[in-house]
Each structure stands twice: as C-alpha cells, then as structure tokens.
Amino acid sequence: MPDILGSYLRYARGESGRYSAWLALDVMGVLIRPFIGARNAMYDRGIFCVQDPPLPVISVGNLCSGGTNKTPMVDMLARKMISLGLSVGIVSRGYSGVGRSPLWVGQDGKSSDRMITGDEPLMLAVRLPEAKVVVSRDRYEGVRYLRELGADVVVADDAFQHRKIGRDLDIVLIDATCPFGNGKLFPSGILRERQEALLRSDIVILTKTEQAEGGAVETLKERISRWVSPDSVFTARVEVESWIEITGDGFSEYRPEAGNTVPKGRFISFSAIGNPKSFYRSLLSMGLDIVKNCEYRDHHMFNWRDIDSLERQASILGATAFICTEKDLQNMPEHPSLLYPLYVPRISVSVDDGARFWGAVAQKLRPELIVASNGYGEDAIGALLASKLRDRFQSAGVYAFSLVGSGKEYRDRGIDVASPPSDTPSAGIIKYSVKALLGDFRHGLRKIIKKQIEVWRRQRGRFRTPVCVGDAYLLAHTLWGQGMSPMLVATAKSVKLRGHWMAERVLMRLRARRVWTRDSETARDLSRSGVDAVFRGNPIMDLAMDAASGHDPWAGMRRPRVMLLPGSRPRAYGDAAMLLDAVRLISDAMQCSFMMVLAPTLEMDAMLAETGCRLNQKGFMEVGATEVGIYTGPIASVAYGADLLLGLGGTANQVAAGIGVPVLSVVERGKMVQKKILKDAEILTQPTAESLAASAIGLLGDPIARHRMSRAGIEVMGGPGAVDDVAEYAASELGWDARCKLYEALRAIGGGDETLAKEPERVWKMPKKIEHKILKLVKIIK
C-alpha cells in the first residue's frame, strides 16, 4: 500500500497522532455533516421517497467504511433462511459498471465480470449456490427482480445508508477493534454518518470481539447505549471453518474440527479488504509465522506487477507460501504466475448467545401494520379495514391511528390505537367553515397536531406501508410523521364534488403507493394526472356489508320503519332533540316504528340528559307515548330493514342511501355538499322538527317516491369491494404475505427458544466456479 494512502487510513482510523497533516480534511467533514443530516431528515419526513419492497428485506450495514465482516454476516443470515426452507435472495449495489437493470450474478459472462458485479457478490454467489445473488444500483429494483426469480426473503448487503428502500430488519455491524475510527465523517474519518444514526437500527452486532482489548467491548456497549437498547446489542466473533491449500499438486481443504492444524511454514500475507490489519491480527493470533503483511486498498484488483512484487519479497525473506482472504481470490489475475503455495482461510461469523439473537430477529421481523383515518365515518371504514387485515394476516400486529377523537371504532373491534386522543369543538379539521376551524385552533388544534406527529416520529420504521382512510391531508400527515409512502383509500373527495385540487394530485402522484377512489369517474380523473388510482368498489359501501348476521334490530316492530341518525359529532346531542321532536309530530299523524342508531362517539347518559327522555324497562327511549329503539351496532343492520332515514350524519347517511333507504336531511353547508353525491336519493328540508316531520309524513305516504329515491341511492353509491382489494394488493404487491411467511417460519422453530441458536451442520462443497479458478492456479504453478 502506498505510504500516502497508509498514512491517511491511519489518521482516519484514529491510529496516528492528533497533529497529523490530514487535519486539513476536517473542514470537508464539517461541511458534509449538514448535508447528511438534511438527507436523513428528508427521508424521515417523506420528502424523499421511501417505499416498502415487495419482499421482506434484512439489511446488513454499518456506520463506517468497510471492515466489519458484512459479507460473512450476510452469508450466515442467508444460510439460516435457507435452512428454514425459504428461497433466499441477496441484493448488493455492485460496482460502477452495473447498469440500471439488475444482474443475476454468475448467470452469464457480464454478470460474472468482477469489474461489473464486484468481488463480494461474486464470493457470495460461489459460497451460496442455493441463493440468488443480484447486483443493482437501485436496490428496490433489485428486490423486485428477486421476487420475479422466486425469492421469499432478501438480505441486502451494505444497505444501511440506502434509505430509499424500506427494510424489515436493520442490522448494523460495529468493528469492536476500531468502532468509529477517529470519530469524524468521511473524508476526514471513516464514518459515513454520525453515530446517532444507530437510532434507526433494530439490532447492533459488535464484531471481531476476539481481537478486542480487555474491557473494550463493555466500554463500547456503554457508549452506544444512548442510542441502542442493551437488549438489541449482540457480540460476534470470526471463526475459521477451513483452509484451502493451493499447490502445484492440486488443492485440498483443512478443517479445524477434524483435528487438522493451521498451515505450517513462513508466510507473506496480503489482503485488499476494508480493515487489513484485522486480518493480519487474526493470523498472528493463530500462531502463524508471518514474515511480512502486505496491505492494499479495499477491492484492489491484483495485476502482474503485484504478483511479481509478492514473489520477489517471498524470495528475499525466505517465505514458503502466501496467505490471502477468500475475497482476494475474486480479485486475482486470470492467469497469475504463482511460484509458491497459496493458503486461503474460509471464515464465518458466529454470534454469541445465538438463542437470544435469533429470538430478537424473529420478534423484530413480525409484521406490524397500521391504519390511519381522519374522521368518524373514516374511522368506521378504517376499523373495518383493520379487522380485515387482522383476519388476512393473522401473524401480524394491526394497529390504528385516529386523527379525530379517541379511536373508539377501532377499540370496539379490538384494534390497539397508537394515536393520542384528539378532541376539538368541531370534532376534526373543518372543510366547510372557517369559523369552526379558527375555533379549533383556539382550542389547541396546533398542539394536537404536533403531539400526533411526535407519536408518529417515535414509531418511525416500526410499521410497514401505512393505510390511510380519508383525504390528502391525512396522506401528508402520515407521510410527514412516518416517512414511508402510504396507501390511500380516498373517501372524502370525488369529481362529483369538484374533485381534487392540483396540490392533492401532485402529492398523490409522487407519494401515494396506490389510491382507491369511491367512484370510477374519480379514478379515471386522477389517473389522467398520473396517480395510481383504481376503483374497486365504494369503500363506504363496504360498511353496508358489515351488518351483524342473524340479528334483526327491527324484529317484531311494525312498518313503516323510520331510522334516526343524529350524527357522530358533539352537536349530535342537540340534533337528536330535534329528531325526537319530529318523532312526536310524525307519531301524532300515523303509526310508525322508530330506531335511533348511536355512533360509538356518543354517550347514552348524555343523550338522555340533552333530550329530557328516559329509558323504559325494555331499553326503549320514551318520547311521549312513542317508544324509540336504541341501537349501537353497525348502521347497515338497521338500514336493511328501514323504510326511511331521518339522517344528520355524513358517511352513515351515504351507507343507508347505498343500501336503498331514502334519506331525509336538513339544509346546511355539509349536507348541501353531500346532496351533490346522493342527488335524487336525498331530500333536504329546513332544519326544524316541523319541516322534517312534514316531509317524512309525505314520503311515508308515497311509496312510488320512496322507490325512486331507493334506486337512485343504490345507483349513485355503487357496490362494495375496496376494503378487500386493499388487503389483496398489500398481500401480493407489498409483500405482506411473504413477511408473514418469514415470521411464521422463524416462530415455528421456537421463536426465542434454544433451537434457534443451532445452526445446521455446514458441510462445505467446493463450488464449481471457485474450483475452476483454483485449478487454473494449480496448472500455472505446475
């Protein structure tokens, strides 16, 4: 290695004095720091695109440049997955010669060219013939290609800084002998990013602990404890599995466990790896007689002059053989003139406390899914979707994030809610009233949003692709808080309501994985703007299919049957009083049955106090001489038996109309907007009990008008199907089925049990590619 390069590496690794001439590089390190921070912040906030690949990805990376045994770790992880019966893919960046299209290493001349693929992918390809090794400048595209090749899981080599691709498990390796070099960023040090980047890691492994000085490992654990939980920190050591001996008579293999010793003689060692001193120290620790150690820069391609130089030094120093790393074999000339035997140690990585390590891997690979929503109607759809996901992906954890209220719809279905409670006077972000929006800000809306974003931030990287049910505001909120491009079930807007703004279209085009719309016209409109938008049924109508089976809330009640919906916002208590006044007026004119559906956000005691009514022994609300049933289950259960709806709700009104129930509501801003969707399925009256009662009596006496409204509602709302399609898309295109399969395979062999610590017996068979190369060397030596 040239003296100038050696001097620089000694400084970068913290091995030279503090007054080195290389201190001049510190200025560049200081200048690059804000760019690295800004880049990470943009990925964290979704400004730069982060997308989940279609297969589970285990990333093996580090904070420093080279020398942490990443390749042996990738090999170890891949072997474990293969032993579980999984098809394993490995993705690496390759070298500058790699084009845009991914290459399957070793499948043709181009993909076997070390100058294109790199030495480490070639070495992995020959060590793991059962795995598919792909090099790709864009690792996301590499994973997509591996899915086409039939892989079940992907191990990504050196991908910790490749933020574009989402990963299921981030393993970060730290060299215990030189953890952070001089502690400075490249080019003034060996750090690729600052040490606090360890916050993004799931598991940290301290490698080469057998070479570390006494107490150094414990000191290092304490140092990184500010960023990594002690339960997530492991130690590993390098082990020599066997020695390959290449001589003029052929080649053979020494296996230490068979009682064979290390090679005998006087050796010149040479290596072109990230930390060549580590290789040299390991040779000395074995008791080998190394007369000279030659170091080259990482990935150095050995040429004729290098070989001649090594042979001259061997002659002068009386060396009897050479030793190099397995990776160096990939970098040897095609026809080197070796005059001395060559020994190559085949190494592996062994993680200490293997049972705990594999238990942690299994635990962290459990898929965790989250559904976010921003409205009470959206919560109902989101809760239905979350329960469908829980049924579809039974080994996954499913959670909810509700921007409005406390997420009661989710809790009622047994879904854990990750978001903090959010109560405002308007019960949400108001679209129709600036006055109400200002009232929310006075109430503390800004603090609520800040707290929600903080909760998202603390859970960043935990969940797979989020599912948003609502509008573009929710999409932006989730993206900013979580950083990963979400899916969007767009329930709030339609071309029938002036469609989406240009800014919303841009956001959906650039960051939404897919958008499910509520009607086909909106899907076509968004698709023309480049949005991946589809119509697979109206998500609102999926609620209609969620009626309780085998139970009729109307059982024993006469027709006509009138359904009452006071809504779900805080004003619903006052609106319920108006509806009950209308009930009294209707009952005076004709005999009817009435059923009020209470949203999960409403409390029965508060309803009784506001309306001045009481419950009788049968559980009915007494309104004068009239009994009004109370129902707290799915809206559709009541709507299927109703003849008319007096509705002051939003999404609930639309569900009932889609089932075929004529809707009677009042003139106000929100309902006038809703009227553009429901059209002839809805009639608006003045917001008084008298107007509601008069219109209801007229409709109940006109079956032809009700039939016409019923058909109009079914036509404009369409059928269900979106919720099921979201689950199927996530299973196939986002790889959620593959993630559950991987987790179940790990869990099936014991989770954190001792059986996970036992590696399958490794009987190594010489791969044909490396055997062919060694035979060439033997022929030349002869």
Side-chain angles (χ1 to χ4, degrees):
M1 178 181 294
D3 289 341
I4 189 169
L5 181 57
S7 172
Y8 165 72
L9 290 179
R10 286 192 295 273
Y11 171 73
R13 293 171 182 158
E15 299 168 359
S16 64
R18 56 191 299 183
Y19 300 108
S20 169
W22 296 104
L23 282 169
L25 292 175
D26 287 5
V27 176
M28 296 181 66
V30 171
L31 291 176
I32 204 170
R33 176 180 294 184
F35 289 99
I36 295 174
R39 175 181 181 270
N40 281 327
M42 288 180 180
Y43 275 113
D44 289 342
R45 298 304 190 191
I47 299 172
F48 287 169
C49 188
V50 181
Q51 289 192 337
D52 254 343
L55 290 175
V57 171
I58 300 173
S59 166
V60 178
N62 57 16
L63 290 183
C64 302
S65 300
T68 55
N69 291 135
K70 289 191 301 296
T71 304
M73 184 64 65
V74 170
D75 177 85
M76 185 269 286
L77 291 168
R79 288 181 185 276
K80 169 60 77 174
M81 302 303 156
I82 291 169
S83 74
L84 299 178
L86 299 169
S87 176
V88 176
I90 297 173
V91 64
S92 179
R93 187 185 186 280
Y95 275 11
S96 58
V98 177
R100 291 291 176 186
S101 299
L103 286 175
W104 186 1
V105 176
Q107 298 309 299
D108 53 39
K110 182 178 180 182
S111 64
S112 299
D113 185 346
R114 181 263 181 215
M115 292 301 295
I116 294 177
T117 63
D119 46 17
E120 290 161 346
L122 279 172
M123 187 177 79
L124 287 168
V126 297
R127 284 181 66 117
L128 295 165
E130 310 99 322
K132 301 172 180 67
V133 181
V134 164
V135 293
S136 177
R137 189 178 301 175
D138 185 335
R139 287 179 178 85
Y140 183 88
E141 291 302 318
V143 175
R144 287 170 60 96
Y145 182 48
L146 282 167
R147 183 181 68 163
E148 295 175 9
L149 296 177
D152 298 316
V153 58
V154 174
V155 182
D157 183 19
D158 197 14
F160 189 57
Q161 284 75 34
H162 192 79
R163 299 292 306 276
K164 179 179 179 181
I165 187 174
R167 62 285 309 272
D168 299 75
L169 180 65
D170 250 318
I171 298 177
V172 176
L173 309 183
I174 298 178
D175 182 351
T177 66
C178 182
F180 308 113
N182 61 11
K184 301 175 182 179
L185 291 172
F186 181 84
S188 56
I190 60 173
L191 283 174
R192 296 175 175 181
E193 51 185 325
R194 298 172 68 178
Q195 297 170 36
E196 51 262 40
L198 290 172
L199 288 167
R200 299 200 313 269
S201 67
D202 296 306
I203 288 176
V204 171
I205 302 178
L206 311 181
T207 63
K208 305 179 185 176
T209 54
E210 76 282 358
Q211 300 178 26
E213 297 178 356
V217 173
E218 293 305 317
T219 300
L220 181 56
K221 286 182 179 180
E222 184 178 351
R223 179 176 179 179
I224 65 175
S225 63
R226 70 185 76 172
W227 305 296
V228 186
S229 167
D231 293 338
S232 299
V233 179
F234 298 86
T235 58
R237 60 190 64 247
V238 176
E239 297 176 345
V240 176
E241 285 188 353
S242 61
W243 287 86
I244 301 171
E245 180 186 14
I246 306 169
T247 68
D249 296 326
F251 65 89
S252 57
E253 181 185 4
Y254 292 88
R255 298 183 64 83
E257 61 269 29
N260 296 310
T261 59
V262 296
K264 302 298 183 182
R266 292 166 55 83
F267 301 96
I268 287 182
S269 61
F270 63 93
S271 60
I273 57 177
N275 190 347
K277 278 189 170 50
S278 174
F279 177 60
Y280 176 56
R281 284 195 299 266
S282 67
L283 297 178
L284 293 178
S285 69
M286 298 177 202
L288 290 165
D289 183 7
I290 308 296
V291 297
K292 185 175 179 60
N293 179 52
C294 300
E295 301 177 0
Y296 299 82
R297 64 176 177 80
D298 197 11
H299 308 293
H300 174 72
M301 286 286 290
F302 294 95
N303 53 39
W304 283 94
R305 287 179 297 179
D306 297 324
I307 301 299
D308 290 341
S309 174
L310 288 169
E311 290 176 341
R312 284 196 302 270
Q313 293 180 70
S315 176
I316 294 171
L317 298 173
T320 58
F322 295 115
I323 295 179
C324 72
T325 70
E326 190 175 0
K327 187 172 84 168
D328 293 319
L329 279 182
Q330 306 298 330
N331 296 323
M332 296 291 284
E334 188 67 21
H335 301 290
S337 57
L338 291 174
L339 301 178
Y340 298 89
L342 175 64
Y343 291 89
V344 181
R346 296 194 71 254
I347 67 168
S348 64
V349 168
S350 175
V351 179
D352 301 321
D353 198 356
R356 187 171 71 88
F357 170 72
W358 286 110
V361 169
Q363 177 186 3
K364 293 176 184 296
L365 281 174
R366 185 193 184 199
E368 294 198 316
L369 319 174
I370 192 161
V371 178
S373 52
N374 64 331
Y376 293 117
E378 287 80 1
D379 279 6
I381 299 171
L384 173 61
L385 175 55
S387 62
K388 293 264 189 180
L389 295 177
R390 182 178 55 191
D391 294 340
R392 179 69 174 78
F393 309 104
Q394 295 186 10
S395 60
V398 180
Y399 301 86
F401 200 103
S402 181
L403 266 66
V404 177
S406 63
K408 190 174 185 302
E409 288 273 9
Y410 293 101
R411 298 183 197 278
D412 288 347
R413 291 180 180 265
I415 306 295
D416 290 336
V417 178
S419 55
S422 168
D423 294 314
T424 58
S426 67
I429 304 296
I430 298 301
K431 306 180 182 70
Y432 312 119
S433 171
V434 174
K435 181 179 178 181
L437 179 60
L438 292 175
D440 285 348
F441 271 105
R442 286 193 294 270
H443 184 75
L445 180 60
R446 184 171 174 271
K447 291 183 179 179
I448 290 172
I449 294 173
K450 184 178 179 180
K451 189 174 182 179
Q452 290 172 340
I453 293 294
E454 177 60 24
V455 172
W456 271 132
R457 187 194 65 79
R458 290 200 301 268
Q459 301 180 96
R460 187 174 296 141
R462 172 185 174 186
F463 300 110
R464 305 276 39 93
T465 302
V467 187
C468 296
V469 181
D471 55 22
Y473 169 76
L474 173 64
L475 177 68
H477 186 285
T478 305
L479 186 66
W480 184 262
Q482 198 65 7
M484 186 174 291
S485 296
M487 297 179 278
L488 173 63
V489 182
T491 58
K493 286 196 174 184
S494 164
V495 291
K496 300 173 183 178
L497 300 174
R498 297 191 302 272
H500 293 84
W501 301 331
M502 181 58 67
E504 293 174 317
R505 294 168 184 266
V506 171
L507 178 64
M508 286 188 282
R509 183 179 75 246
L510 296 179
R511 290 296 177 265
R513 291 299 300 265
R514 173 162 286 187
V515 177
W516 285 261
T517 64
R518 54 183 294 160
D519 51 65
S520 57
E521 298 91 338
T522 303
R524 288 193 295 270
D525 180 63
L526 290 176
S527 295
R528 285 192 290 268
S529 298
V531 179
D532 182 7
V534 296
F535 174 65
R536 298 289 188 264
N538 191 335
I540 293 174
M541 292 312 300
D542 283 300
L543 293 174
M545 304 301 294
D546 193 41
S549 59
H551 173 66
D552 180 11
W554 295 102
M557 301 177 72
R558 71 168 69 90
R559 289 187 181 274
R561 298 168 176 175
V562 180
M563 180 180 177
L564 307 175
L565 278 175
S568 56
R569 298 179 184 275
R571 57 169 286 185
Y573 297 109
D575 288 342
M578 180 177 65
L579 291 177
L580 294 178
D581 287 341
V583 167
R584 293 188 181 92
L585 296 173
I586 295 170
S587 298
D588 290 342
M590 59 192 303
Q591 290 188 336
C592 296
S593 298
F594 299 92
M595 182 77 67
M596 179 180 288
V597 181
L598 291 186
T601 55
L602 303 181
E603 299 292 338
M604 191 66 220
D605 290 343
M607 179 65 69
L608 295 175
E610 183 69 27
T611 59
C613 299
R614 67 183 183 89
L615 295 181
N616 60 24
Q617 293 180 345
K618 295 187 293 183
F620 284 72
M621 184 183 290
E622 293 184 350
V623 183
T626 304
E627 292 183 333
V628 176
I630 302 296
Y631 190 74
T632 57
I635 295 166
S637 298
V638 178
Y640 276 118
D643 298 302
L644 180 66
L645 167 64
L646 303 188
L648 302 178
T651 302
N653 279 16
Q654 297 175 49
V655 170
I659 291 174
V661 182
V663 178
L664 180 60
S665 192
V666 300
V667 176
E668 63 175 22
R669 183 72 178 272
K671 297 301 178 290
M672 291 173 68
V673 172
Q674 181 175 263
K675 172 70 173 173
K676 295 179 180 179
I677 294 176
L678 296 182
K679 297 181 179 179
D680 295 337
E682 181 180 43
I683 292 177
L684 301 181
T685 72
Q686 292 303 309
T688 65
E690 292 76 13
S691 295
L692 280 170
S695 297
I697 293 169
L699 282 173
L700 291 173
D702 189 349
I704 295 177
R706 294 205 314 273
H707 179 67
R708 185 170 59 247
M709 293 176 69
S710 176
R711 286 190 305 176
I714 293 172
E715 181 179 346
V716 298
M717 291 302 296
V723 167
D724 287 333
D725 193 69
V726 171
E728 289 306 313
Y729 175 83
S732 58
E733 297 302 316
L734 299 184
W736 289 6
D737 265 350
R739 288 175 166 86
C740 290
K741 178 181 179 181
L742 172 61
Y743 171 67
E744 288 162 4
L746 283 167
R747 187 176 62 172
I749 61 171
D753 201 352
E754 291 295 329
T755 53
L756 269 170
K758 299 176 182 178
E759 291 287 334
E761 184 180 357
R762 299 177 64 174
V763 180
W764 187 66
K765 183 179 180 181
M766 181 76 70
K768 292 295 183 183
K769 296 172 185 177
I770 195 169
E771 182 177 344
H772 178 68
K773 193 158 192 173
I774 290 175
L775 287 172
K776 284 186 177 181
L777 294 176
V778 171
K779 184 177 180 181
I780 292 169
I781 292 173
K782 283 185 177 180

